[in-house]
Structure formats: structure tokens, C-alpha cells
Amino acid sequence: MALDNCIQLSTAAAMCATTSRPKSHLFPSNFPQKTSFSNKLPTLRLRFSTPSSSTFRKSFSVTCQARGAVDDVKEVTESSWNNLVVESQKAVLVEFWAPWCGPCKIIEPVIKELAAEYAGKIVCLKLNTDVSPNVASKYGIRSIPTVLFFKNGEKRESVIGAVPKSTLAATIDKYVEV
């Protein structure tokens, strides 16, 4: 769906560049012109010119936001635990965290990077232990951050603390199907 939005945006941008109508005709006034994270996403620069006039050139950028939708680390709660973790067909990484936890803030960007790198191969989730303490209790979480790895609905391995990205990547590689 996110990729469809990107393609629709590209198509609309191409139509805008090749017609004499103003950009406002194809893009509604509330259309987001620039997002706060657009500098981190791939940008395609389009340049159009008409064969009859070499002086007519239009150039603008199209930012594809599909990648951000795929590699996002979603929040899991007690109510969504079975659906997102236990019944998942893919390997699942779950980070147990809390908003007041300093080391959790350190490891958060690492988990996001891993989610991007392993997009489509593993599901990366996070569980706030303050919001869902019963799940944390069930799996014996005594300190945070703790990262648990699940395969076929079963806990396979845990990594405790703010560890380097390479440590988590090595553990993920054990459970990712090649």
C-alpha cells in the first residue's frame, strides 16, 4: 500500500510536469509538501521537457515514503501479543523497554536500523513494560532493555542490555530463513 502511494505520487508528479496546468490542480492544498523525515528517504529528481520547446523544463523532487512503512518498529501490547508474536510466520524480535529507561533510548535506533536491514525477513516489535507488565512477567523480564527472539511462537533466545548492533545482528542471523 505504501509503495502504491509512492507510485501514485510519482504518476501525479509526472502528469503535473507534462501538462500546462498548475501543480495545485493535481495536488490538493493539504498535500504534504515536505515531511520531517523526507531527508532520510530516497528522493527521485524528475526532469521533463517537451519536444516542441527546448526552453520549457520542469524539475521537482518526489520522495518515496514506502520504505519507512516497511521497516517501522511497531508497538505490541498484551492484547496484540498472540496475533503479532505467537502466531507470526516469521522470526520475531521483541524489545522490552520503558520510556524512563536510559539504555532503552540508546538501543532504540539500533533496533530501528535492524528493522530496516532485515525488512521482510524478521518482524521487529517493542513492548512497553509499564503498559504490558503481564507479558514481561510471563517471560521473566527483570531488567530492561531485554530483546527476545521468537521462532514459531516460541522464545528462542534473549539478549539483555544495550548491546552493540553486531551482537543483535548475529543473533538475528541464526533465526532468519535464507
Side-chain angles (χ1 to χ4, degrees), residues 118-139:
Y118 289 92
K121 297 178 183 177
I122 190 169
V123 177
C124 292
L125 303 169
K126 58 184 179 179
L127 182 132
N128 185 336
T129 56
D130 290 344
V131 174
S132 303
N134 293 334
V135 175
S137 253
K138 178 180 178 181
Y139 290 97

Side-chain angles (χ1 to χ4, degrees), residues 16-81:
C16 179
T18 58
T19 64
S20 59
R21 293 182 180 175
K23 186 165 87 169
S24 60
H25 174 74
L26 294 171
F27 296 106
S29 61
N30 63 347
F31 189 82
Q33 297 299 318
K34 203 166 203 174
T35 60
S36 60
F37 56 89
S38 63
N39 59 343
K40 299 176 187 169
L41 296 170
T43 300
L44 173 65
R45 185 157 260 327
L46 301 174
R47 182 162 263 215
F48 296 95
S49 61
T50 60
S52 61
S53 170
S54 60
T55 59
F56 174 76
R57 285 197 173 136
K58 239 182 177 145
S59 175
F60 51 89
S61 296
V62 176
T63 302
C64 180
Q65 297 177 1
R67 178 84 181 170
V70 173
D71 58 35
D72 198 25
V73 179
K74 292 182 174 62
E75 186 85 27
V76 64
T77 61
E78 290 178 19
S79 60
S80 62
W81 181 263

Side-chain angles (χ1 to χ4, degrees), residues 70-148:
V70 173
D71 58 35
D72 198 25
V73 179
K74 292 182 174 62
E75 186 85 27
V76 64
T77 61
E78 290 178 19
S79 60
S80 62
W81 181 263
N82 282 336
N83 187 31
L84 295 176
V85 179
V86 177
E87 297 172 4
S88 178
Q89 300 298 316
K90 296 180 183 174
V92 181
L93 174 152
V94 182
E95 175 198 4
F96 289 79
W97 71 286
W100 48 263
C101 169
C104 297
K105 292 176 184 176
I106 293 170
I107 201 171
E108 180 183 15
V110 172
I111 301 291
K112 285 183 180 183
E113 286 178 30
L114 290 170
E117 288 176 22
Y118 289 92
K121 297 178 183 177
I122 190 169
V123 177
C124 292
L125 303 169
K126 58 184 179 179
L127 182 132
N128 185 336
T129 56
D130 290 344
V131 174
S132 303
N134 293 334
V135 175
S137 253
K138 178 180 178 181
Y139 290 97
I141 305 300
R142 293 196 175 120
S143 63
I144 52 175
T146 295
V147 178
L148 297 185

